[in-house]
Amino acid sequence: MMPPGNILQFPAGFLWGTATSPTQVEGHIENEWTDFTAPDGGTCRIACDHYHRYPEDIEWMSRLGANAYRFGIEWSRLQSAPFAPLDRNELARYVDILDRLKLAGITPMAVLHHFSNPPWINSMGGWTNAAAVPAFVDYVRRLVAALKDRVYLWNTFNEPDTYACVAYLLGGFPPQRKWKLGQFRRVIDHMAHAHVQASQIIRQEGDARRKPEVGIAKNWTFFHAYKRFSPWDRMTAFACHYTFNKFVLDAFLGGGRRRASTFIGLNYYGRVRFHHFRAMIPASGAPVQRLNDFGFVCDDMVERYPAGLVKILSYLHRKFRLPVYITEHGAASQDEKFRERDLRENLAALHGAMAGGVDVRGFFYWSLLDNFEWQFGYSKKFGLLAVDFADEKLPRTMKPLAEVYSRICRANSVQAELQGRPE
Ligand code: FCB
């Protein structure tokens, strides 16, 4: 690919953003995460207090020079019962966020579901219950009517694959079920139905001044066997690929359903390799140092695999012919040099895919802030801004990567890293 040092220019109008989700940053939330305590003792109760500090956080975005922001709207704040009117005060707060973003020249992408539900949805069995579908569709109809002149980029579901997998197969997210494959499939199926119906509403009701765009955010992880000739590890990798990639993509975008979406959101972090049935990633407990000894390059979560970004983008392009937004990419590490390299390598891969014809419209760094990383609590540092959780004022400070990202956003270009990693 590119020799090191090349300046890779992105097209005019490319969106450079950051991303967050309500449960991870807002605090003061009542959903299934409220009473969840991570092994490090972390809870989402206060989180980054973005609920109150969003004006300051939007100023940070301006300082970064980002021109876009992907954020979630928390369903549990807005509807207290099925088919109920939206809560006026909570709606006014989201309207204020959108107005401030507009003043700052920052394009919002609104996420409608990001790993959390109102308590009344959870008490009826969450998304395993088909009744969640009309309830969500009603919520979306009301929300779109209220916000359509302020939002044109809509992301219905964030990573339905991760949500259904970690909540119903791995037991990491509430309701912490294990190996309930039937429930996993039902959740995906119901969410896919809800996506199609919600997308129709968004496309029909959206504001005529700016054509609405809608899609899901699909997490794409590559699953490989560490040793090519190990049949069991290959089988495990294939089963994961089939269940989390193929089955989910087909449910949301297969056949006629593709027409519901106007874009695909891609959340891309890297890959998982299996060795003797074990997932060789830090998120499964393998120490980063030991993985390095195997020759794996990992952040504190998964193996990094920038070459995979070109592959998945080309695949999605060939299969669906829809524009793509990279709705999430980021690395968790205390080593800022590592994160900088990772960002440059992935952006070089992204640029390569675009040069090869893939229509990518934007990139959102996960995340604006260090935050509540679900079952890992506060131990994973994904932020461009550090938050001092020991200080009750929760002060934010720019990390070195924020300076790097800021230069990229402002220049609309990136200086490439050498693409020398083995496959
Ligand atoms: C994604 C989630 C996001 C965050 C990042 C690290 O899977 O969408 O909330 O947890 O991973």
Side-chain angles (χ1 to χ4, degrees):
M1 218 187 253
M2 297 283 170
N6 265 13
I7 303 286
L8 307 175
Q9 192 66 41
F10 283 74
F14 193 78
L15 295 185
W16 291 102
T18 61
T20 62
S21 85
T23 306
Q24 293 178 275
V25 298
E26 286 185 352
H28 323 280
I29 230 162
E30 275 200 38
N31 62 30
E32 63 270 58
W33 291 93
T34 311
D35 294 326
F36 180 95
T37 305
D40 70 351
T43 73
C44 70
R45 296 213 167 161
I46 306 288
C48 308
D49 196 23
H50 179 74
Y51 185 73
H52 296 112
R53 286 161 213 236
Y54 64 89
E56 177 195 340
D57 290 336
I58 294 171
E59 280 169 29
W60 281 112
M61 291 175 215
S62 292
R63 238 168 280 171
L64 278 174
N67 62 9
Y69 177 46
R70 175 177 179 261
F71 76 110
I73 297 180
E74 175 67 16
W75 188 7
S76 63
R77 291 194 191 286
L78 289 167
Q79 258 187 332
S80 54
F83 310 106
L86 301 185
D87 184 289
R88 279 169 177 244
N89 293 335
E90 297 294 347
L91 188 62
R93 182 182 155 277
Y94 285 115
V95 166
D96 188 42
I97 292 181
L98 291 165
D99 288 347
R100 283 170 193 263
L101 289 170
K102 184 163 186 202
L103 270 178
I106 297 172
T107 299
M109 176 185 277
V111 183
L112 301 176
H113 187 277
H114 196 134
F115 302 170
S116 66
N117 300 295
W120 50 270
I121 284 278
N122 294 319
S123 60
M124 68 190 211
W127 285 87
T128 62
N129 187 336
V133 178
F136 181 76
V137 171
D138 166 75
Y139 164 63
V140 173
R141 190 184 301 282
R142 292 171 194 273
L143 196 65
V144 170
L147 301 182
K148 66 181 178 184
D149 51 347
R150 291 177 169 84
V151 179
Y152 77 94
L153 281 174
W154 300 88
N155 212 181
T156 52
F157 288 91
N158 175 71
E159 299 192 0
D161 43 339
T162 308
Y163 173 71
C165 166
V166 186
Y168 293 94
L169 297 179
L170 301 181
F173 290 0
Q176 297 187 282
R177 303 261 155 76
K178 285 199 174 165
W179 306 117
K180 305 286 183 217
L181 195 59
Q183 296 187 10
F184 168 87
R185 293 176 74 107
R186 266 212 302 286
V187 168
I188 293 296
D189 217 46
H190 293 150
M191 285 185 161
H193 273 105
H195 167 69
V196 170
Q197 291 178 41
S199 300
Q200 269 159 8
I201 292 171
I202 289 167
R203 293 174 72 170
Q204 279 161 15
E205 310 290 315
D207 194 319
R209 275 171 295 177
R210 182 89 207 222
K211 217 169 161 206
E213 296 182 28
V214 61
I216 58 159
K218 169 79 183 78
N219 169 267
W220 189 276
T221 301
F222 285 90
F223 298 98
H224 293 160
Y226 172 56
K227 292 207 167 134
R228 258 185 208 207
F229 299 108
S230 153
W232 301 115
D233 288 335
R234 283 181 73 129
M235 240 173 57
T236 311
F238 179 77
C240 289
H241 168 72
Y242 186 87
T243 313
F244 307 130
N245 290 334
K246 188 176 181 323
F247 169 73
V248 176
L249 217 49
D250 281 353
F252 282 85
L253 287 154
R257 290 192 176 173
R258 175 199 163 281
R259 284 196 294 277
S261 304
T262 69
F263 71 84
I264 299 178
L266 175 66
N267 291 3
Y268 184 71
Y269 290 89
R271 84 172 149 184
V272 173
R273 281 197 271 180
F274 292 95
H275 188 37
H276 301 319
F277 289 120
R278 297 207 34 194
M280 308 280 284
I281 50 167
S284 301
V288 175
Q289 188 50 52
R290 197 166 151 257
L291 294 168
N292 291 345
D293 296 343
F294 271 84
F296 294 7
V297 178
C298 298
D299 73 339
D300 293 343
M301 298 290 277
V302 293
E303 185 185 353
R304 314 312 283 182
Y305 186 41
L309 186 53
V310 183
K311 291 186 193 173
I312 178 57
L313 283 171
S314 312
Y315 171 76
L316 292 174
H317 178 66
R318 277 197 313 275
K319 195 163 161 83
F320 300 111
R321 304 261 157 204
L322 284 170
V324 176
Y325 290 91
I326 306 296
T327 32
E328 286 182 22
H329 173 80
S333 174
Q334 309 270 10
D335 178 349
E336 289 290 283
K337 280 279 159 216
F338 172 89
R339 298 212 307 159
E340 178 178 344
R341 211 162 48 240
D342 173 81
L343 177 61
R344 289 190 195 283
E345 287 181 345
N346 279 279
L347 288 179
L350 171 61
H351 191 273
M354 292 169 71
V358 186
D359 179 6
V360 184
R361 308 258 169 107
F363 175 92
F364 295 82
Y365 194 84
W366 184 273
S367 177
L368 175 69
L369 303 165
D370 281 343
N371 61 44
F372 174 72
E373 179 51 35
W374 312 113
Q375 75 274 40
F376 301 104
Y378 292 90
S379 56
K380 309 290 182 191
K381 305 293 185 190
F382 277 101
L384 292 169
L385 301 173
V387 178
D388 183 355
F389 293 102
D391 180 332
E392 64 176 26
K393 295 206 179 81
L394 298 168
R396 282 83 158 127
T397 44
M398 290 255 231
K399 297 191 206 175
L401 188 68
E403 312 278 354
V404 172
Y405 191 56
S406 173
R407 284 197 292 276
I408 293 171
C409 295
R410 289 177 200 281
N412 195 24
S413 69
V414 65
Q415 196 161 2
E417 275 281 325
L418 179 64
Q419 296 285 295
R421 284 192 188 164
E423 272 287 291

